[in-house]
Amino acid sequence: FVSQQQAIMEQEAAALDENATPADLVRILSDFFTDPSVMVSEGISAVISLALFIPMLAVTARRLHDTGSSVVSLIFGCVSYVALFVSFAVLVVYMGSNLEAMLDDTFKMEEHAELMASFVAMLVSLVVFCLISIYLFVMMVLPSTPGRNKYGPSTLFPKG
């Protein structure tokens, strides 16, 4: 799939010249994401991700408890992920509904406060998500607490 997708993008990009407009780029991206092979591979990826989501949460919660940490940070991570997804979706919907105006040469960003607000919201949620993800990563690589902690015995050092 990957080589076929890459060939499609290279063929479309080769068709562009130095006089290409933003509408040409939108057309190329639209052609790419509506290609059946791309849609199938993205669908398979989504199904696998959904199937692994609950087990991943369970393993992460257990690992956090092994290090003596609360799962509150995991909950914040999930909430920040949802906030990032929602803010990105709002931005995409707003951009899609104003696509013709945005492709016009007279488009002025400062006249579209909703676009700026949704972009800033997406950036803020992205920063929060990244910070929480870094914290969770650090907590996941820390060694387990030997013996018991407030969440029970360690799975690595059960008798320690």
Side-chain angles (χ1 to χ4, degrees):
F1 283 130
V2 174
S3 62
Q4 184 180 11
Q5 295 168 359
Q6 187 175 4
I8 292 169
M9 287 298 285
E10 288 174 358
Q11 179 184 12
E12 292 285 343
L16 289 178
D17 60 2
E18 61 274 352
N19 297 325
T21 65
D24 293 331
L25 179 61
V26 169
R27 180 186 49 79
I28 289 173
L29 290 174
S30 174
D31 289 348
F32 177 74
F33 286 111
T34 56
D35 182 77
S37 63
V38 173
M39 294 173 74
V40 167
S41 64
E42 292 299 319
I44 291 170
S45 175
V47 168
I48 291 171
S49 295
L50 287 174
L52 295 175
F53 182 71
I54 298 295
M56 180 213 47
L57 286 179
V59 168
T60 304
R62 185 173 184 154
R63 181 72 190 114
L64 287 171
H65 282 175
D66 280 350
T67 61
S69 302
S70 172
V71 294
V72 172
S73 56
L74 181 60
I75 294 168
F76 284 143
C78 291
V79 169
S80 68
Y81 181 76
V82 170
L84 177 62
F85 179 78
V86 169
S87 62
F88 182 73
V90 168
L91 181 65
V92 167
V93 167
Y94 182 81
M95 289 175 68
S97 64
N98 294 304
L99 188 59
E100 287 183 24
M102 292 177 71
L103 295 176
D104 189 15
D105 290 337
T106 61
F107 181 78
K108 292 184 174 49
M109 184 72 92
E110 56 272 1
E111 294 176 1
H112 295 271
E114 299 89 5
L115 176 62
M116 289 299 293
S118 60
F119 183 71
V120 168
M122 188 199 63
L123 284 179
V124 167
S125 59
L126 178 64
V127 168
V128 169
F129 175 74
C130 287
L131 291 173
I132 292 173
S133 296
I134 290 168
Y135 172 77
L136 285 172
F137 176 76
V138 168
M139 296 310 294
M140 297 288 282
V141 298
L142 286 177
S144 295
T145 307
R148 291 187 62 82
N149 61 27
K150 62 183 175 181
Y151 301 105
S154 170
T155 55
L156 186 60
F157 306 110
K159 304 215 185 232

